[in-house]
Every structure is written in C-alpha cells, then in structure tokens.
Amino acid sequence: MASLDYIFQLDVPFITTRQATIALNTLSPDPILKPNEITVEYSTKDTQLSIVFKGLSDRVIRVAISNVIENLKTIVECMEEFDN
Amino acid sequence: MPNLFSLLESENCQIQTQLSSAMPDLIPTATYISPDLKKDFHPGCGPHSTQGTTTGPSDVVADKGAIDKDRPTEASDSTLGELRARLTTLQDQVNVFLTDRMKLGAAKEEDDKDLERRILDDGVDEDDVE
Amino acid sequence: MINLDKHIKPSRDYYLALGLEGSANKLGIGIIKHPKGELTATNRAEVLSNVRDTYISPPGEGFLPRDTARHHRNWVVRVLKDALAVAGLVGRDLDCICFTQGPGMGAPLQAVVIAARTIAQLWDVPLVGVNHCVGHIEMGREITGAQNPVVLYVSGGNTQVIAYSKNHYRIFGETLDIAIGNCLDRFARTLKIPNDPFPGYNIEQMAKRGKNFVELPYTVKGMDLSMSGILAFIDSLAGDMFAGNKNKLLVAADGSSVTPEDLCFSLQECLYAMLVEITERAMAHVQLQQVLIVGGVGSNERLQQMMAQMVQDRNGSVFATDERFCIDNGIMIAHAGLLAYRMGQTNELWDTVCSQKFRTDEVYVNWRDD
C-alpha cells in the first residue's frame, strides 16, 4: 500500500473545553470515504481541537482539509449564535 | 510549533487586540509536512472576513454570471466570530498553497480532476445533476 | 392501543420538535407541537414555524451537490434563528432535534447534519434521524386526515408507490431509473426554462398552453415504471425542433408545427398516465381506496386531476397537500421525527451518519399499530 506522506495538522482553539469537545463529536462520526488514500484523526487538549490529515497527495488532502474547515465554520457559527 | 516569524506576528496582533478585549483571541494555526517541504500557516493580523476567496460558487455557476446570494454571513462582533473569519483566511491560504503545489507537481491531470469530482460530488457527473 | 407518552417532559402536556431538511436544493427548518395523547381530528399537531430557503441554479443548469451544500451551510444558522424566532422559542425548550438522515444528495445532507449535531450538544437535546420519504408520508397523513392511503411519492429525487403494512411503509412500485421530477427538471433544462420557482411548475404552465399531443414511449413495467427512455426520446425531439430538422412527429394533425408547449403537454400526459396506472395497480393489490400524493411533483394540478378521475371510478378519494408541505420542508421532518421520539427512537452521535440511499421500508414504524 502506498504510504500517506502528505501530512497536515490543523489546531483550532475554542473558548471552553466543552466547545472543543462538541466540535470533535460533531466532526468525527462521518467515515472517510477512501481510507487507503487519506486518514483523518481528531483529538482535543483542553480548549484546543487538533485535526491531523494524512494523504497520498496534495490534491487528496486539499479537498479533505477544505471540507473539514467548511464544517468547522458551520460549527463555530452555531456557537456564535446559540452558545450564550 | 509555529516558526519564529509567525510567533512574532501573532504576538504583535495579540498586543494590539488585547488592549480592546478581555477575551484572548482564538487563532487557528496549521502545519504542512510533505517529503520535500515543511510549512507553517498562521492567519496573520488581518483584517479577516468570512467571505473567503477560495470558497465561492463552482465555476459552472460563476461562469453563468449568476449573482451569489448564498455567501456566508458576516462574522459577528465576538471572539467566535473572529475565529470563523480567521479560519476562512487560513483556509484560503492553505487552498492557494496546495493548489500551487499541485500545479508544480503536474500529476496526471485527468485522473486528479476525476478524484476531486468524486470526492466533492460523490461521483455525480455534471450531466447527471439532480 | 399504543402509549405515545412514555417520554413526555414531566412539567408539560405537549412536545416541541425542531426539524431540519436539506436532502436536495431546499433548506427547510420547522418547529412542530404535538399535544399529549393520540393525534386525532380533535387533537391536532400544530405548526409553530416553517421556514425554507431554496437554492436556485441558473436556467439551463441543474443544482450541483457542492453548490447546494454551500447554500445549506451558509443559510442554516440564519434559517434556524428564524424558525426559533417565529415560534417564540429557544433551543432548550425543544424535546428533540430531528434531521433528514437520507435518502438524498450526500454533501447537502452532511452540511445540515453538522449543524444538527452542534445544536443538539449545545442545548443538550436528543437527535432523531428521519427518512425523508417517511417525513412526506406522515405529514401527508396528518394534514389531510387520510388514515391509511396508498401513497404516491413523487419528487425530484424519488418516485415510489407505497402502502403501510405491519410497522413498515412497503414499496409496491417505483422508478427503475430516474425520478419523475428529475425527468421534468432535465427536460426543462433542454428547453432552457427558468428554475424559479421550480422547473416543474414552469413546465406545468407551458403544458396548459399546449394543444397537440405527441405520442411518446409508454414504459410501465409491471408494478414499476421507467422514464429515462422517454426523456431521451423527447430531448431528441426538442433537439430537432430547435435545429429546424424535418421530423414527422413534429408536425401536428392539422399541419401546424409542434411547439415547446405541445411537448410539455405531451410529456405530462404520458408520465402522469403511467403514474396513475401503477397507483391503480397497487390499490387493487392492497384493496385500499384512498390515494395520498406527496412530494414536490404532487403540487401539479394535472396529476391531481388525472389521479382523481381514476380514483373516482373506483369510488375512492384523492388527497394532496399544498406547497407548504408537499415541497420539501422541515416541518415534515419534525413531525415524523417526533412520532419516532415519542416511541423511544433517538440517535446517538455515532449513529447520525447520513445515507444517500436510505430505503423507505427500512424504518420501523412503531407509532402505528394497525
């Protein structure tokens, strides 16, 4: 199997630990469609969410990264509006 | 670990904004590692906006000259609003960087286009749209 | 007699459910209220809000999943706010948050479920995944009062004939290839008709001005039907018409030229006759006399008329809902989801993954005991 040599780590800080956990729980249920081309791992440390992408090429990780950030923006907007 | 340049940048922004807000800024960062290159990403001081340059409508629609009524909402005047705007900046930086890398890489163009189409549109051909 | 109230909040005698729908190009969010006890003609569900924003693509274009998902992502928080404001509620007032888990387009479904998961955790409210078709069926039953009809579900993405049996909505007939709404939408693109308010509506208006009937292939196959061959045939006719090619099918009986209006008229007559036939076949099979038409194509008056003619000949009745409910909306998801919630069905986060091919008959309809 070809190795996933293209690695990208995204670190996103939230205001509270609860928010970081909610973001992780919201992103993680959806399975990766092509696990032999890309893997995505989520973790939290206190108020920070970390996401590590490992893929076969720049193109594969670009699409995944942009999609995850799109979802993150939705999550943050929900918190902006409703987490008072 | 952000490199020295982005560390200075972020400290600079923080000094400016901490004068005006009680809540620390939420700044997303990223690191890219490939066999031939390592690079850190930091959104910088801004100004930031939720109207990303790499997240507009698809070319098919934009080329028809349609007005984009589905743009993201403006960031609210809050810590999380700023986070959302900074995430947009970071996303644009990463998209531009990786797109440039892809062009340099000059891989099999048709295969790559198909991969992207498969991932974004679940293999739906443009002629088969709903 | 089923007990529908095992999960009611102790301090209340009603339920409040939020529903999010985004399986195609409509983003709909609604809040419904159920009183305690069985829903009857005198104990009705109440719509507290029903907000919708539709992604409309340029004329001649269909809606791509990635643009549709972008629309839903960028509108979902605004529409949520509106739905809550119109109902006069805050998130923590809700008993459950219901969302379309499928079937439908992958990226748009996912854009909406991300918001659903977030608000469910923020407000500490359970999630309920809902099948889009079951949403249409249950809303149709509630609004029209039709208790146990044969259901014709016709939309851009689905064409099914359904009847209830032993806790499942069973599919008696369906399309073997494309959905009828998809067929109409694609022909609308061929004719470059605007997509606003929706292509099928514009085809219907043109059809009303059509006079000459052009014979098209008629492809009922037992209990099912096929439509892609008809689409290919009529696309080709339209191509000849625009190019000015000689084609004897494009010359009417009186010698005049067949127009786009005539083609719209002919397409509707052919497709709807096929739907009426497979619906009638199902009625005979299950011995039911009521027909309920749900889904966006159900708003078409010609279809309702043709169905009514057949049903009246059998001494039955036809039911249909208006555009608030037959076109995809969040209220139907809230309603069907709340029925499931009252029977103890909720989804843990890991179990909220959406599926493009969620079958109608997979749902355990335990809120009915007939």
Side-chain angles (χ1 to χ4, degrees):
Chain A
M1 192 180 92
S3 54
L4 306 177
D5 292 333
Y6 292 78
I7 298 167
F8 187 88
Q9 173 162 335
L10 176 64
D11 296 317
V12 185
F14 288 87
I15 302 175
T16 64
T17 306
R18 184 174 183 258
Q19 285 174 350
T21 305
I22 287 176
L24 182 147
N25 292 339
T26 297
L27 292 169
S28 55
D30 299 312
I32 296 302
L33 293 175
K34 312 249 175 242
N36 55 327
E37 288 174 4
I38 180 160
T39 63
V40 185
E41 276 164 29
Y42 304 91
S43 61
T44 58
K45 189 166 179 215
D46 301 320
T47 59
Q48 178 170 281
L49 170 71
S50 290
I51 308 170
V52 178
F53 303 81
K54 293 182 185 168
L56 273 182
S57 67
D58 287 319
R59 189 180 279 269
V60 166
I61 62 170
R62 186 193 73 159
V63 171
I65 293 163
S66 201
N67 278 352
V68 166
I69 298 181
E70 290 294 283
N71 290 334
L72 269 169
K73 292 188 297 186
T74 302
I75 295 168
V76 172
E77 195 184 350
C78 287
M79 293 174 176
E80 250 175 279
E81 192 56 50
F82 301 119
D83 193 17
N84 298 311
Chain B
M1 187 68 192
N3 65 32
L4 189 61
F5 178 69
S6 60
L7 194 60
L8 286 172
E9 248 191 353
S10 65
E11 280 186 356
N12 208 14
C13 304
Q14 279 172 348
I15 292 166
Q16 285 171 2
T17 53
Q18 264 172 354
L19 292 171
S20 50
S21 78
M23 193 100 74
D25 287 336
L26 299 176
I27 304 177
T29 55
T31 302
Y32 166 85
I33 302 170
S34 74
D36 63 305
L37 177 66
K38 180 178 187 294
K39 180 177 164 66
D40 291 315
F41 292 88
H42 187 292
C45 290
H48 303 288
S49 153
T50 55
Q51 309 304 311
T53 52
T54 62
T55 48
S58 65
D59 292 339
V60 169
V61 168
D63 289 347
K64 300 272 169 192
I67 298 167
D68 183 16
K69 67 168 261 295
D70 305 318
R71 296 179 313 149
T73 57
E74 295 295 330
S76 59
D77 184 20
S78 65
T79 308
L80 287 172
E82 267 297 298
L83 171 63
R84 187 157 62 97
R86 288 196 181 99
L87 274 170
T88 308
T89 300
L90 194 67
Q91 182 182 29
D92 283 342
Q93 288 174 349
V94 172
N95 275 331
V96 168
F97 168 74
L98 287 175
T99 305
D100 287 344
R101 290 269 296 169
M102 279 153 44
K103 286 182 189 147
L104 284 178
K108 295 154 258 117
E109 274 249 332
E110 283 313 299
D111 280 358
D112 286 348
K113 275 212 177 74
D114 190 64
L115 175 64
E116 178 171 318
R117 186 180 57 74
R118 270 194 291 121
I119 293 174
L120 280 178
D121 290 326
D122 301 319
V124 171
D125 214 56
E126 291 207 355
D127 287 339
D128 286 340
V129 296
E130 297 288 326
Chain C
M1 193 57 236
I2 295 187
N3 178 6
L4 287 158
D5 296 315
K6 285 188 277 206
H7 301 275
I8 196 164
K9 287 193 190 193
S11 53
R12 300 210 294 218
D13 59 359
Y14 59 86
Y15 304 82
L16 296 168
L18 176 90
L20 299 102
E21 154 58 32
S23 60
N25 65 328
K26 276 76 74 186
L27 172 67
I29 301 183
I31 300 179
I32 202 165
K33 179 177 180 181
H34 281 189
K36 193 171 157 172
E38 198 195 344
L39 289 170
T40 64
T42 49
N43 197 36
R44 312 287 308 267
E46 193 186 335
V47 173
L48 300 184
S49 61
N50 190 15
V51 185
R52 180 168 59 210
D53 196 281
T54 302
Y55 171 61
I56 307 220
S57 42
E61 299 299 317
F63 48 92
L64 282 171
R66 72 181 86 175
D67 292 313
T68 309
R70 176 177 184 266
H71 167 271
H72 292 357
R73 264 197 299 272
N74 291 344
W75 280 95
V76 68
V77 171
R78 274 176 282 194
V79 178
L80 266 170
K81 268 181 72 174
D82 279 351
L84 286 164
V86 168
L89 297 170
V90 296
R92 291 188 185 276
D93 293 331
L94 302 166
D95 286 274
C96 56
I97 290 167
C98 314
F99 67 96
T100 305
Q101 199 164 11
M105 300 164 87
L109 281 171
Q110 221 243 350
V112 176
V113 79
I114 291 288
R117 288 177 190 151
T118 306
I119 57 177
Q121 293 174 82
L122 285 175
W123 299 331
D124 202 17
V125 173
L127 284 160
V128 182
V130 179
N131 178 295
H132 181 86
C133 313
V134 173
H136 275 293
I137 295 170
E138 289 299 345
M139 201 65 211
R141 288 178 66 230
E142 175 63 19
I143 293 292
T144 65
Q147 275 311 292
N148 193 26
V150 164
V151 178
L152 175 64
Y153 172 34
V154 275
S155 69
N158 294 279
T159 298
Q160 298 173 13
V161 177
I162 294 156
Y164 171 82
S165 168
K166 299 201 183 95
N167 302 118
H168 287 268
Y169 287 112
R170 319 264 171 194
I171 300 171
F172 276 81
E174 60 188 315
T175 176
L176 296 170
D177 38 56
I178 59 177
I180 182 169
N182 188 233
C183 183
L184 293 166
D185 289 353
R186 284 160 72 173
F187 188 57
R189 295 208 282 273
T190 301
L191 296 182
K192 298 226 186 318
I193 295 174
N195 291 323
D196 196 357
F198 56 97
Y201 177 83
N202 294 329
I203 290 196
E204 182 178 8
Q205 304 319 305
M206 284 179 69
K208 287 177 184 170
R209 302 193 295 270
K211 294 188 304 283
N212 298 304
F213 180 71
V214 177
E215 185 117 20
L216 302 173
Y218 186 89
T219 44
V220 166
K221 306 191 174 175
M223 302 287 287
D224 300 315
L225 76 169
S226 156
M227 288 174 276
S228 55
I230 302 175
L231 178 63
F233 188 89
I234 202 171
D235 271 350
S236 167
L237 273 185
D240 281 348
M241 187 176 68
F242 291 136
N245 296 341
K246 272 188 159 51
N247 185 325
K248 65 179 193 300
L249 289 169
L250 291 172
V251 182
D254 63 0
S256 62
S257 297
V258 163
T259 63
E261 285 77 3
D262 293 333
L263 290 182
C264 289
F265 166 66
S266 307
L267 183 62
Q268 285 198 165
E269 295 300 298
C270 177
L271 293 177
Y272 297 163
M274 290 173 18
L275 289 178
V276 168
E277 181 179 337
I278 62 169
T279 305
E280 184 168 22
R281 200 156 289 167
M283 287 170 78
H285 196 91
V286 296
Q287 311 228 308
L288 291 173
Q289 297 307 100
Q290 294 177 325
V291 171
L292 169 65
I293 310 179
V294 299
V297 180
S299 63
N300 186 291
E301 287 165 5
R302 182 59 186 142
L303 173 60
Q304 291 179 17
Q305 193 180 46
M306 287 171 74
M307 193 68 68
Q309 268 169 334
M310 175 275 284
V311 167
Q312 271 152 31
D313 289 345
R314 301 176 63 92
N315 292 316
S317 37
V318 178
F319 298 83
T321 58
D322 66 51
E323 68 83 36
R324 283 172 302 165
F325 304 114
C326 67
I327 295 179
D328 290 346
N329 61 85
I331 273 290
M332 70 190 196
I333 302 301
H335 178 63
L338 183 50
L339 288 169
Y341 173 78
R342 292 173 70 178
M343 294 307 295
Q345 293 188 40
T346 58
N347 294 66
E348 296 300 316
L349 281 163
W350 62 265
D351 196 21
T352 58
V353 178
C354 296
S355 162
Q356 294 183 54
K357 301 210 187 304
F358 189 178
R359 294 276 291 171
T360 313
D361 50 23
E362 284 174 45
V363 176
Y364 180 43
V365 183
N366 59 347
W367 53 87
R368 289 180 68 162
D369 62 354
D370 50 344

